[in-house]
Amino acid sequence: MSQEVLNLNNLSIGFRRQDGIEQVTHQVSFSISKGETLALVGESGSGKSVTANAILKLLPAHAAHYLEGNICFDGINTLSCSARQLRGIRGGRIGMIFQEPMVSLNPLHKVGRQLVETLAIHRGLRQRQAEDTALHWLKKVGIRNPENKISAYPHELSGGERQRVMIAMALINEPELLIADEPTTALDVSVQAQILDLLKELQQELGMAMLFITHDLSIVRRIADRVAVMQHGRLVEVGETQQLFEAPQHPYTHKLINAEPRGEPVRVSSQAPTLLQVEHLKIWFAIKGGLLKRTVGHIKAVTDMHFNLREGHSLGLVGESGSGKSTTGLALLKLIQSEGVIRFRDTELQSLDRKGMLPFRHQMQVVFQDPFSALNPRMSVAQVIGEGLRVHHSLSEQEIDRRICDVMTEVGLDPESRNRYPNEFSGGQRQRIAVARALILQPRFILLDEPTSSLDRTVQAQVLDLLKTLQEKHGLTYLFISHDLNVVKSLCHYTIVMRQGKIIEQGETQALFSNPQHEYTRELVALSSF
């Protein structure tokens, strides 16, 4: 018989609201054995992350109520054990990879210090030994130039690099159980494949059990031994992976399996005027050293980027994490310094100061990759979405509230929830809030930085359809940054493939993906069709 590591028995959880306790999970029961991977799948808000966080009692103590059931880890009921016992288990015997690394990593401490700290707490390693181990793990999870990145702060890393740091931090103490909450969401397909292979390799090496939470069913096929499907806080189906995909029993499981990015980009005119023109864009970051902090080198984030984007068209920007995709997007909005030409309609943006850019801010909007860090946790959803209207337009509060309700409905959110705060929503719901915040200003250009990466497939399809509908109706222009080539094919007319800050291939999306010329592009296409 296999050794059982984790057992959840009839777990029901509720959260305190103004009108009482709202139950969010209902009698959830499953077990995981040593060396086994159980995938927990379902739509955003189905209760996946709540269930995972409950295992280590990471839910907010003032709001969460464990209504019934228990959680047994290696014979220990984590719901009733002492704080001291929990500290020994958290990060040591149970590792956890969180969905949003920027929220989980300490922005005031360098990456190396945070890795060393967990080694000192759980394994008692001395400084030098801990630093060597931290560097070893940064290499294992595929971070380029780990000798430099170990001295970086989280904000100096790309989204994918931050996620890899989180993976290293979760695995560095070689836990008995790994809880992975969307661990590959921010990663491009090539690095995603590497990370999945690494997790499987370490699992075999350590005999580690794994609870893998994801909305990407292609990953589930690749990594899971069994699958548990959640809907509205209930487990609706549990089974062996191959059997579940070949013969799903529940209608909701059918729906998830059939929900893939579909359709083609909206029809556009090849004669549409150019909205955004970029020439010889260069973004280098200086490396300071010595007592006088002189420039001793440069991080060449982007070199010689160039493209034209026509009105009403969508341009896809794909490539591995750290290739310069998000950096390019931030430079176009003048949120970071760059060299080269950035022309929006007939205006050269590089020559404008902060005041000169104000008239263009509402025309150029952005949806960031990490919704939680992009939303002010002290503002209600209504305040977050309506903030831009208050800055750029003189409208009555009644009109602002009406527009907030309208745009929330458009992106699939309940307007009645507009007075709640971002932490009360799931990851996918928070991303829809971020989309609503951009859409409400009716911009001409939207930078979409991995806007669907945290969404499950069913909601992802809805958001893509929404983006297409809005583009067709209002003539919106998108720069779409993504590692999901199937999503890019569904939305984008033209695609640029980047690697190490340079363009390696570009062309019309369908032609580029059907007949890629560069070896790296061929690798991306092959992995996306796994």
mmCIF file with all atom_site columns, all heavy atoms in Angstrom, residues 74-85:
data_model
loop_
_atom_site.group_PDB
_atom_site.id
_atom_site.type_symbol
_atom_site.label_atom_id
_atom_site.label_alt_id
_atom_site.label_comp_id
_atom_site.label_asym_id
_atom_site.label_entity_id
_atom_site.label_seq_id
_atom_site.pdbx_PDB_ins_code
_atom_site.Cartn_x
_atom_site.Cartn_y
_atom_site.Cartn_z
_atom_site.occupancy
_atom_site.B_iso_or_equiv
_atom_site.pdbx_formal_charge
_atom_site.auth_seq_id
_atom_site.auth_comp_id
_atom_site.auth_asym_id
_atom_site.auth_atom_id
_atom_site.pdbx_PDB_model_num
ATOM 1  N N   . ASP A 1 74 ? 0.607  13.650 7.754  1.00 0.00 ? 74 ASP A N   1
ATOM 2  C CA  . ASP A 1 74 ? 1.500  12.720 8.441  1.00 0.00 ? 74 ASP A CA  1
ATOM 3  C C   . ASP A 1 74 ? 1.044  12.481 9.883  1.00 0.00 ? 74 ASP A C   1
ATOM 4  O O   . ASP A 1 74 ? 1.838  12.500 10.828 1.00 0.00 ? 74 ASP A O   1
ATOM 5  C CB  . ASP A 1 74 ? 2.931  13.253 8.408  1.00 0.00 ? 74 ASP A CB  1
ATOM 6  C CG  . ASP A 1 74 ? 3.958  12.197 8.816  1.00 0.00 ? 74 ASP A CG  1
ATOM 7  O OD1 . ASP A 1 74 ? 3.661  10.998 8.670  1.00 0.00 ? 74 ASP A OD1 1
ATOM 8  O OD2 . ASP A 1 74 ? 5.042  12.590 9.298  1.00 0.00 ? 74 ASP A OD2 1
ATOM 9  N N   . GLY A 1 75 ? -0.266 12.301 10.056 1.00 0.00 ? 75 GLY A N   1
ATOM 10 C CA  . GLY A 1 75 ? -0.799 12.029 11.381 1.00 0.00 ? 75 GLY A CA  1
ATOM 11 C C   . GLY A 1 75 ? -1.080 13.241 12.225 1.00 0.00 ? 75 GLY A C   1
ATOM 12 O O   . GLY A 1 75 ? -1.561 13.126 13.355 1.00 0.00 ? 75 GLY A O   1
ATOM 13 N N   . ILE A 1 76 ? -0.801 14.442 11.709 1.00 0.00 ? 76 ILE A N   1
ATOM 14 C CA  . ILE A 1 76 ? -1.013 15.689 12.464 1.00 0.00 ? 76 ILE A CA  1
ATOM 15 C C   . ILE A 1 76 ? -2.199 16.438 11.871 1.00 0.00 ? 76 ILE A C   1
ATOM 16 O O   . ILE A 1 76 ? -2.242 16.702 10.667 1.00 0.00 ? 76 ILE A O   1
ATOM 17 C CB  . ILE A 1 76 ? 0.231  16.590 12.404 1.00 0.00 ? 76 ILE A CB  1
ATOM 18 C CG1 . ILE A 1 76 ? 1.458  15.863 12.946 1.00 0.00 ? 76 ILE A CG1 1
ATOM 19 C CG2 . ILE A 1 76 ? 0.010  17.891 13.179 1.00 0.00 ? 76 ILE A CG2 1
ATOM 20 C CD1 . ILE A 1 76 ? 2.763  16.592 12.677 1.00 0.00 ? 76 ILE A CD1 1
ATOM 21 N N   . ASN A 1 77 ? -3.169 16.803 12.712 1.00 0.00 ? 77 ASN A N   1
ATOM 22 C CA  . ASN A 1 77 ? -4.289 17.629 12.265 1.00 0.00 ? 77 ASN A CA  1
ATOM 23 C C   . ASN A 1 77 ? -3.831 19.088 12.282 1.00 0.00 ? 77 ASN A C   1
ATOM 24 O O   . ASN A 1 77 ? -3.694 19.698 13.343 1.00 0.00 ? 77 ASN A O   1
ATOM 25 C CB  . ASN A 1 77 ? -5.501 17.441 13.186 1.00 0.00 ? 77 ASN A CB  1
ATOM 26 C CG  . ASN A 1 77 ? -6.727 18.203 12.672 1.00 0.00 ? 77 ASN A CG  1
ATOM 27 O OD1 . ASN A 1 77 ? -6.661 18.911 11.663 1.00 0.00 ? 77 ASN A OD1 1
ATOM 28 N ND2 . ASN A 1 77 ? -7.841 18.056 13.373 1.00 0.00 ? 77 ASN A ND2 1
ATOM 29 N N   . THR A 1 78 ? -3.567 19.643 11.106 1.00 0.00 ? 78 THR A N   1
ATOM 30 C CA  . THR A 1 78 ? -3.012 21.004 11.032 1.00 0.00 ? 78 THR A CA  1
ATOM 31 C C   . THR A 1 78 ? -3.993 22.067 11.522 1.00 0.00 ? 78 THR A C   1
ATOM 32 O O   . THR A 1 78 ? -3.585 23.171 11.870 1.00 0.00 ? 78 THR A O   1
ATOM 33 C CB  . THR A 1 78 ? -2.574 21.341 9.592  1.00 0.00 ? 78 THR A CB  1
ATOM 34 O OG1 . THR A 1 78 ? -3.704 21.271 8.712  1.00 0.00 ? 78 THR A OG1 1
ATOM 35 C CG2 . THR A 1 78 ? -1.494 20.391 9.117  1.00 0.00 ? 78 THR A CG2 1
ATOM 36 N N   . LEU A 1 79 ? -5.277 21.741 11.556 1.00 0.00 ? 79 LEU A N   1
ATOM 37 C CA  . LEU A 1 79 ? -6.261 22.722 12.022 1.00 0.00 ? 79 LEU A CA  1
ATOM 38 C C   . LEU A 1 79 ? -6.236 22.886 13.543 1.00 0.00 ? 79 LEU A C   1
ATOM 39 O O   . LEU A 1 79 ? -6.675 23.915 14.060 1.00 0.00 ? 79 LEU A O   1
ATOM 40 C CB  . LEU A 1 79 ? -7.665 22.315 11.579 1.00 0.00 ? 79 LEU A CB  1
ATOM 41 C CG  . LEU A 1 79 ? -7.933 22.293 10.071 1.00 0.00 ? 79 LEU A CG  1
ATOM 42 C CD1 . LEU A 1 79 ? -9.380 21.938 9.794  1.00 0.00 ? 79 LEU A CD1 1
ATOM 43 C CD2 . LEU A 1 79 ? -7.575 23.635 9.438  1.00 0.00 ? 79 LEU A CD2 1
ATOM 44 N N   . SER A 1 80 ? -5.719 21.896 14.246 1.00 0.00 ? 80 SER A N   1
ATOM 45 C CA  . SER A 1 80 ? -5.729 21.970 15.708 1.00 0.00 ? 80 SER A CA  1
ATOM 46 C C   . SER A 1 80 ? -4.335 22.006 16.325 1.00 0.00 ? 80 SER A C   1
ATOM 47 O O   . SER A 1 80 ? -4.203 22.097 17.544 1.00 0.00 ? 80 SER A O   1
ATOM 48 C CB  . SER A 1 80 ? -6.499 20.770 16.289 1.00 0.00 ? 80 SER A CB  1
ATOM 49 O OG  . SER A 1 80 ? -5.889 19.546 15.898 1.00 0.00 ? 80 SER A OG  1
ATOM 50 N N   . CYS A 1 81 ? -3.275 21.919 15.500 1.00 0.00 ? 81 CYS A N   1
ATOM 51 C CA  . CYS A 1 81 ? -1.929 21.907 16.084 1.00 0.00 ? 81 CYS A CA  1
ATOM 52 C C   . CYS A 1 81 ? -1.514 23.309 16.503 1.00 0.00 ? 81 CYS A C   1
ATOM 53 O O   . CYS A 1 81 ? -2.091 24.319 16.079 1.00 0.00 ? 81 CYS A O   1
ATOM 54 C CB  . CYS A 1 81 ? -0.918 21.303 15.106 1.00 0.00 ? 81 CYS A CB  1
ATOM 55 S SG  . CYS A 1 81 ? -0.614 22.274 13.637 1.00 0.00 ? 81 CYS A SG  1
ATOM 56 N N   . SER A 1 82 ? -0.492 23.397 17.323 1.00 0.00 ? 82 SER A N   1
ATOM 57 C CA  . SER A 1 82 ? -0.047 24.670 17.890 1.00 0.00 ? 82 SER A CA  1
ATOM 58 C C   . SER A 1 82 ? 0.677  25.506 16.848 1.00 0.00 ? 82 SER A C   1
ATOM 59 O O   . SER A 1 82 ? 1.107  25.005 15.806 1.00 0.00 ? 82 SER A O   1
ATOM 60 C CB  . SER A 1 82 ? 0.907  24.413 19.061 1.00 0.00 ? 82 SER A CB  1
ATOM 61 O OG  . SER A 1 82 ? 2.113  23.824 18.596 1.00 0.00 ? 82 SER A OG  1
ATOM 62 N N   . ALA A 1 83 ? 0.836  26.804 17.157 1.00 0.00 ? 83 ALA A N   1
ATOM 63 C CA  . ALA A 1 83 ? 1.538  27.713 16.251 1.00 0.00 ? 83 ALA A CA  1
ATOM 64 C C   . ALA A 1 83 ? 2.984  27.265 16.061 1.00 0.00 ? 83 ALA A C   1
ATOM 65 O O   . ALA A 1 83 ? 3.551  27.379 14.963 1.00 0.00 ? 83 ALA A O   1
ATOM 66 C CB  . ALA A 1 83 ? 1.479  29.131 16.793 1.00 0.00 ? 83 ALA A CB  1
ATOM 67 N N   . ARG A 1 84 ? 3.593  26.746 17.109 1.00 0.00 ? 84 ARG A N   1
ATOM 68 C CA  . ARG A 1 84 ? 4.976  26.283 17.026 1.00 0.00 ? 84 ARG A CA  1
ATOM 69 C C   . ARG A 1 84 ? 5.092  25.088 16.088 1.00 0.00 ? 84 ARG A C   1
ATOM 70 O O   . ARG A 1 84 ? 6.030  25.007 15.278 1.00 0.00 ? 84 ARG A O   1
ATOM 71 C CB  . ARG A 1 84 ? 5.478  25.913 18.425 1.00 0.00 ? 84 ARG A CB  1
ATOM 72 C CG  . ARG A 1 84 ? 6.931  25.479 18.457 1.00 0.00 ? 84 ARG A CG  1
ATOM 73 C CD  . ARG A 1 84 ? 7.391  25.213 19.881 1.00 0.00 ? 84 ARG A CD  1
ATOM 74 N NE  . ARG A 1 84 ? 8.787  24.811 19.896 1.00 0.00 ? 84 ARG A NE  1
ATOM 75 C CZ  . ARG A 1 84 ? 9.462  24.514 21.005 1.00 0.00 ? 84 ARG A CZ  1
ATOM 76 N NH1 . ARG A 1 84 ? 8.864  24.581 22.194 1.00 0.00 ? 84 ARG A NH1 1
ATOM 77 N NH2 . ARG A 1 84 ? 10.739 24.152 20.949 1.00 0.00 ? 84 ARG A NH2 1
ATOM 78 N N   . GLN A 1 85 ? 4.152  24.146 16.181 1.00 0.00 ? 85 GLN A N   1
ATOM 79 C CA  . GLN A 1 85 ? 4.153  23.002 15.269 1.00 0.00 ? 85 GLN A CA  1
ATOM 80 C C   . GLN A 1 85 ? 3.979  23.452 13.814 1.00 0.00 ? 85 GLN A C   1
ATOM 81 O O   . GLN A 1 85 ? 4.653  22.952 12.913 1.00 0.00 ? 85 GLN A O   1
ATOM 82 C CB  . GLN A 1 85 ? 3.034  22.029 15.636 1.00 0.00 ? 85 GLN A CB  1
ATOM 83 C CG  . GLN A 1 85 ? 3.310  21.161 16.858 1.00 0.00 ? 85 GLN A CG  1
ATOM 84 C CD  . GLN A 1 85 ? 2.132  20.244 17.162 1.00 0.00 ? 85 GLN A CD  1
ATOM 85 O OE1 . GLN A 1 85 ? 1.017  20.709 17.419 1.00 0.00 ? 85 GLN A OE1 1
ATOM 86 N NE2 . GLN A 1 85 ? 2.378  18.943 17.117 1.00 0.00 ? 85 GLN A NE2 1
#
